[in-house]
Amino acid sequence: MRSKGEACPLTCSVSKSHSVGYPWKKNKKTPRRTAYEAQSSNLPILKKERPWYKTINSTVLQQTLRQLDVAFSKFFKNETGHPKPKRRSRFRSFKYTPGQVKLDGNRIYLPGIGWMRFHDSRPIPSGFTLKSVTVRRKARGWFVSLQIEDKSVPALPVKNKNEISPDRVKGCDLGIKKLVSISNGEIIQNPANDKVFKRQARRLKLRQRSASIKKKGSRNRKKSFSKVASLHDRIANSRSAYHWKTAKVLTDGTDALIFEDLNIRGMKSRCKPKKNESGGYNPNGQSAKRALNRAISDAAWGELIKKIEVVAAKSGIPVIKVNPRHTSQRCPKCHHVSAENRKKEKFVCTNCGHHNDADVNGAVNIKMRGLKELGIDPTQLPLVRGEVTPMELTAT
Ligand SMILES: [Zn+2]
């Protein structure tokens, strides 16, 4: 494939029909090379043609091809978009295979680079084997993440139906203002409303503005944008820390966790344009939607659920996702479904008068649905109420 600039086969698209490289191998069972094998066998030729590839450790090159292979297989399964071509300055990470990297206190040996010192951010337990090692470049420096395995620690089996007591099951409703509303009436607030987070968001806005008015291509612009990037990094770190804490709170004293199966991409979609007779467009609420989309991105529900799944797996807690249909409109007492049941922050059933905090009520419905999926009869449960005072109820 020919292209302008740094044409690099590692970063070009691979055809799944093996049009790149020699297609056959000696194996009689599967005589065709996979895209990865074809490209990997091309590496020596590549090194001859572009000598700077020789400076890169050979397993790192192979791992990069593997990552590309993963990216393409995800793309062909329709899970992600088409992988984007990258030039070498765009690469932010590289990976070593197991058995390559050595550790000695706060020194690490990276093949092709040598011994390097690193800041030991957390103690590494003894008696483990080092799996793959990834080196990443971030806005505030280089980071190395070590994947370690200890075979003496057995994997905990996931709890089955008989080990789960319905009182210790938590239904969780994800939201923007209240990050997680739990079916037992507890609420975990969104840190975006927190003083520190608000200050960070304001600082980010100021830095972005000051960076964007700098002269294009200038050194000052570059410096300003690196400041923006480092603040982004900080914010992402503190959000991630908050998510880990939330995951800990949710999994403590719990037998099973139930979430709604959210279509986050669908929720963030743009509003449909509204045409008018004169050929122009009427306002369709997109500017308000943009703010909501940003809030959805900031809450990072997908990231949160991934972390919860990691923490839950450690104690064998099953994490179940249920269909969210009508969970905010349904009365858990008499099963009456109506859009009028929900009155902003409150839930008041128009049929039987059952009332609760709207989000906690949603969480209760999610829990009921999850229990059904687990095969436990949810009808015998007492209904827990969130913080709704009679005053609030009479106000409507
Ligand atoms: Zn009702």
Side-chain angles (χ1 to χ4, degrees):
M1 192 181 252
R2 275 166 185 256
S3 75
K4 281 180 195 171
E6 288 168 35
C8 154
L10 286 183
T11 56
C12 289
S13 52
V14 198
S15 147
K16 270 285 169 191
S17 59
H18 321 295
S19 61
V20 184
Y22 185 66
W24 307 105
K25 60 182 177 187
K26 278 178 186 164
N27 191 331
K28 273 185 187 162
K29 262 188 188 170
T30 49
R32 272 214 119 140
R33 281 179 199 274
T34 62
Y36 165 76
E37 284 165 340
Q39 285 215 317
S40 187
S41 68
N42 260 8
L43 280 176
I45 307 163
L46 179 72
K47 280 182 187 169
K48 250 179 217 162
E49 278 187 17
R50 295 192 172 71
W52 64 266
Y53 272 115
K54 281 184 198 162
T55 57
I56 307 170
N57 185 274
S58 59
T59 52
V60 169
L61 287 176
Q62 284 164 5
Q63 287 301 310
T64 311
L65 283 178
R66 283 224 185 272
Q67 281 169 359
L68 185 66
D69 214 34
V70 170
F72 266 101
S73 61
K74 275 191 179 168
F75 167 67
F76 286 120
K77 278 185 216 155
N78 225 348
E79 285 171 11
T80 51
H82 193 280
K84 283 179 200 154
K86 274 193 222 168
R87 59 170 63 209
R88 67 174 149 170
S89 58
R90 281 279 179 189
F91 275 88
R92 289 192 156 249
S93 70
F94 55 92
K95 204 171 170 187
Y96 288 103
T97 43
Q100 293 245 304
V101 175
K102 283 175 244 168
L103 267 179
D104 174 26
N106 66 342
R107 294 197 319 146
I108 188 165
Y109 178 75
L110 302 172
I113 298 170
W115 282 100
M116 297 189 85
R117 272 191 306 170
F118 68 98
H119 170 69
D120 204 354
S121 61
R122 67 163 93 168
I124 298 162
S126 56
F128 62 87
T129 44
L130 208 55
K131 304 292 277 185
S132 66
V133 172
T134 312
V135 183
R136 282 196 188 84
R137 186 181 66 191
K138 287 193 177 178
R140 291 190 298 145
W142 289 86
F143 292 77
V144 56
S145 49
L146 313 166
Q147 207 184 359
I148 55 177
E149 186 187 33
D150 192 349
K151 285 214 170 114
S152 62
V153 181
L156 245 136
V158 178
K159 282 181 184 162
N160 64 23
K161 187 187 156 189
N162 303 327
E163 289 171 299
I164 293 167
S165 92
D167 306 339
R168 283 158 61 90
V169 173
K170 282 177 186 166
C172 305
D173 182 77
L174 299 171
I176 289 168
K177 214 173 148 194
K178 304 164 190 163
L179 187 62
V180 189
S181 309
I182 311 170
S183 55
N184 60 8
E186 280 173 39
I187 279 163
I188 295 169
Q189 293 294 339
N190 188 342
N193 308 322
D194 193 66
K195 219 171 159 186
V196 180
F197 277 79
K198 269 190 174 165
R199 198 190 299 147
Q200 272 179 335
R202 192 181 130 74
R203 193 176 292 159
L204 182 66
K205 212 172 165 186
L206 290 174
R207 282 197 189 169
Q208 272 168 335
R209 195 187 304 153
S210 104
S212 64
I213 55 170
K214 299 273 189 302
K215 202 177 156 190
K216 277 194 181 158
S218 71
R219 207 170 273 192
N220 273 333
R221 189 180 169 94
K222 216 175 166 185
K223 275 192 264 176
S224 301
F225 270 112
S226 79
K227 272 186 185 169
V228 172
S230 89
L231 190 56
H232 266 301
D233 202 36
R234 247 174 224 278
I235 292 173
N237 282 352
S238 36
R239 186 191 295 136
S240 145
Y242 190 84
H243 280 176
W244 286 118
K245 271 181 215 157
T246 308
K248 184 84 179 50
V249 170
L250 285 176
T251 47
D252 265 355
T254 308
D255 281 351
L257 282 169
I258 298 150
F259 288 91
E260 48 193 321
D261 200 359
L262 292 171
N263 172 11
I264 296 167
R265 199 184 286 174
M267 291 171 90
K268 284 205 296 193
S269 61
R270 294 176 67 85
C271 300
K272 271 187 192 150
K274 278 186 194 167
K275 275 187 183 171
N276 60 17
E277 296 92 39
S278 54
Y281 291 95
N282 282 337
N284 62 351
Q286 178 57 40
S287 58
K289 184 74 172 67
R290 197 180 299 135
L292 180 64
N293 283 351
R294 175 173 298 171
I296 291 172
S297 301
D298 277 351
W301 296 319
E303 298 274 305
L304 176 62
I305 290 182
K306 261 188 213 162
K307 288 184 180 112
I308 290 167
E309 278 169 341
V310 169
V311 177
K314 279 185 190 166
S315 9
I317 299 169
V319 177
I320 294 156
K321 285 180 188 167
V322 294
N323 185 354
R325 201 180 155 85
H326 295 320
T327 44
S328 64
Q329 300 173 359
R330 187 187 169 93
C331 170
K333 218 172 174 183
C334 69
H335 309 298
H336 176 64
V337 177
S338 163
E340 280 160 31
N341 281 354
R342 189 175 176 153
K343 291 174 180 87
K344 283 179 186 169
E345 301 273 304
K346 284 148 267 172
F347 179 92
V348 186
C349 178
T350 49
N351 188 30
C352 73
H354 170 70
H355 59 87
N356 201 343
D357 177 284
D359 294 310
V360 172
N361 189 67
V364 170
N365 279 325
I366 289 165
K367 177 178 171 177
M368 300 260 178
R369 224 165 257 188
L371 284 175
K372 233 184 223 172
E373 229 162 87
L374 280 166
I376 299 166
D377 183 23
T379 47
Q380 306 305 322
L381 295 177
L383 294 170
V384 187
R385 289 211 180 131
E387 288 169 28
V388 182
T389 57
M391 277 292 280
E392 275 181 317
L393 283 167
T394 48
T396 50

